[in-house]
Amino acid sequence: MTFPTRAETEQMLAGLAAGNVTPAEANDWATPFVVDESTHPDEMDAAVWGVLTLICGADVQSSPGRLLHGPEDFQVWLDEFRSRC
Protein backbone atom coordinates (compact mmCIF):
# COMPACT_ATOMS: atom_id res chain seq x y z
CA MET A 1 0.00 0.00 0.00
CA THR A 2 1.29 3.44 -0.90
CA PHE A 3 1.08 5.80 2.02
CA PRO A 4 -0.35 9.28 1.47
CA THR A 5 2.07 12.16 1.16
CA ARG A 6 2.02 15.21 3.38
CA ALA A 7 0.46 17.17 0.53
CA GLU A 8 -2.31 14.60 0.02
CA THR A 9 -2.96 14.46 3.73
CA GLU A 10 -3.07 18.24 4.04
CA GLN A 11 -5.43 18.46 1.06
CA MET A 12 -7.84 15.96 2.62
CA LEU A 13 -7.70 17.69 6.01
CA ALA A 14 -8.13 21.14 4.46
CA GLY A 15 -11.17 19.87 2.56
CA LEU A 16 -12.59 18.48 5.77
CA ALA A 17 -12.00 21.74 7.64
CA ALA A 18 -13.57 23.77 4.81
CA GLY A 19 -16.59 21.51 4.54
CA ASN A 20 -15.71 20.37 1.01
CA VAL A 21 -15.11 16.81 2.26
CA THR A 22 -17.61 15.16 4.57
CA PRO A 23 -16.45 13.47 7.77
CA ALA A 24 -17.58 10.14 6.31
CA GLU A 25 -15.55 10.69 3.13
CA ALA A 26 -12.47 11.61 5.15
CA ASN A 27 -12.95 8.57 7.37
CA ASP A 28 -13.31 6.30 4.34
CA TRP A 29 -10.09 7.72 2.88
CA ALA A 30 -7.99 7.38 6.04
CA THR A 31 -9.25 4.13 7.51
CA PRO A 32 -7.55 1.69 5.10
CA PHE A 33 -4.15 3.12 5.99
CA VAL A 34 -4.78 2.78 9.73
CA VAL A 35 -6.43 -0.63 9.84
CA ASP A 36 -4.29 -2.38 7.21
CA GLU A 37 -2.20 -4.92 9.12
CA SER A 38 0.69 -4.38 6.72
CA THR A 39 0.86 -0.68 7.62
CA HIS A 40 3.52 0.10 10.18
CA PRO A 41 3.41 3.58 11.73
CA ASP A 42 7.20 3.66 12.03
CA GLU A 43 7.46 3.36 8.22
CA MET A 44 5.16 6.34 7.68
CA ASP A 45 5.75 10.04 8.16
CA ALA A 46 4.84 10.67 11.82
CA ALA A 47 2.85 13.82 11.02
CA VAL A 48 0.83 11.96 8.38
CA TRP A 49 0.22 8.99 10.67
CA GLY A 50 -1.02 11.24 13.47
CA VAL A 51 -3.53 12.95 11.19
CA LEU A 52 -4.71 9.67 9.70
CA THR A 53 -5.57 8.38 13.16
CA LEU A 54 -7.57 11.55 13.83
CA ILE A 55 -9.37 11.52 10.49
CA CYS A 56 -10.47 7.94 11.13
CA GLY A 57 -12.65 9.34 13.90
CA ALA A 58 -13.99 12.32 11.96
CA ASP A 59 -17.42 10.73 11.56
CA VAL A 60 -17.80 9.39 15.11
CA GLN A 61 -21.11 10.40 16.62
CA SER A 62 -21.49 11.54 20.23
CA SER A 63 -25.20 10.74 20.00
CA PRO A 64 -27.45 9.73 17.11
CA GLY A 65 -27.15 12.33 14.37
CA ARG A 66 -24.61 14.44 16.26
CA LEU A 67 -20.93 14.30 15.35
CA LEU A 68 -18.33 14.29 18.10
CA HIS A 69 -16.02 16.53 16.03
CA GLY A 70 -16.90 19.53 13.91
CA PRO A 71 -15.35 22.19 11.69
CA GLU A 72 -13.52 23.88 14.56
CA ASP A 73 -11.87 20.60 15.51
CA PHE A 74 -10.92 19.90 11.91
CA GLN A 75 -9.33 23.34 11.63
CA VAL A 76 -7.31 22.73 14.80
CA TRP A 77 -6.14 19.39 13.37
CA LEU A 78 -5.12 21.16 10.15
CA ASP A 79 -3.28 23.93 12.00
CA GLU A 80 -1.43 21.41 14.15
CA PHE A 81 -0.52 19.34 11.10
CA ARG A 82 0.84 22.39 9.30
CA SER A 83 2.88 23.38 12.33
CA ARG A 84 4.46 19.90 12.44
CA CYS A 85 5.39 19.97 8.75
Side-chain angles (χ1 to χ4, degrees):
M1 175 178 288
T2 303
F3 302 134
T5 64
R6 284 185 176 192
E8 292 167 330
T9 304
E10 181 177 7
Q11 181 179 10
M12 177 58 69
L13 192 52
L16 181 62
N20 299 325
V21 175
T22 68
E25 290 169 333
N27 175 70
D28 290 348
W29 176 79
T31 297
F33 300 108
V34 176
V35 300
D36 184 347
E37 292 181 9
S38 68
T39 302
H40 299 284
D42 55 332
E43 296 174 3
M44 188 182 296
D45 182 308
V48 170
W49 178 254
V51 168
L52 290 176
T53 61
L54 289 173
I55 293 175
C56 282
D59 65 346
V60 171
Q61 296 184 5
S62 60
S63 61
R66 184 175 172 97
L67 292 174
L68 180 61
H69 304 289
E72 297 83 17
D73 299 305
F74 305 143
Q75 185 62 50
V76 168
W77 297 353
L78 177 60
D79 294 343
E80 289 175 355
F81 177 74
R82 287 177 171 162
S83 73
R84 292 184 69 189
C85 294

